[in-house]
Amino acid sequence: DSGTFLGLGTVTGSVAVHIAFSLQRLYYVKEAHGIVVTDVAFVPESRPGRELLGGHEAALLSVAVDSRCKLHLLPTRRSLPVWLLLLLCAGLIVATILLLQLAFPGFL
């Protein structure tokens, strides 16, 4: 719905979800269905859809030739905040300068 993810169903019954812009695989279930997956659809980002998602980032419904429907929930991805990443980089720079100063006393 939002264009963030790409859902795939295969001839072998496997289901996968990729990030749309980089095609990085986030989720994969080998042979989720016993036979060909005929349709996949993401749960819409409406109020009822959000209630179904709970704490998950997205939900994908898959249907196979055997008329079974399965719900696949994508867990929320974890990431580092930008301020923490900048703090770690600054600490690395300071540590490098201190080590260079120890190794070569007249460095600075």
Side-chain angles (χ1 to χ4, degrees), residues 15 33 39-43 52 59-63 69-72:
V15 175
H33 295 275
D39 195 14
V40 292
F42 284 97
V43 174
L52 182 63
L60 179 75
L61 290 167
S62 63
V63 180
C69 182
K70 292 190 176 184
L71 179 66
H72 306 273

Side-chain angles (χ1 to χ4, degrees), residues 16-80:
V17 177
H18 297 265
I19 298 175
F21 65 88
S22 68
L23 296 180
Q24 177 186 3
R25 184 166 54 182
L26 290 178
Y27 178 85
Y28 180 75
V29 177
K30 185 176 182 178
E31 298 174 0
H33 295 275
I35 198 161
V36 179
V37 176
T38 56
D39 195 14
V40 292
F42 284 97
V43 174
E45 295 181 2
S46 61
R47 181 180 291 180
R50 285 190 197 121
E51 290 174 4
L52 182 63
L53 285 176
H56 296 86
E57 191 165 2
L60 179 75
L61 290 167
S62 63
V63 180
V65 173
D66 59 2
S67 299
R68 290 188 182 172
C69 182
K70 292 190 176 184
L71 179 66
H72 306 273
L73 296 170
L74 272 71
T76 304
R77 293 175 285 168
R78 296 181 186 167
S79 62
L80 289 175

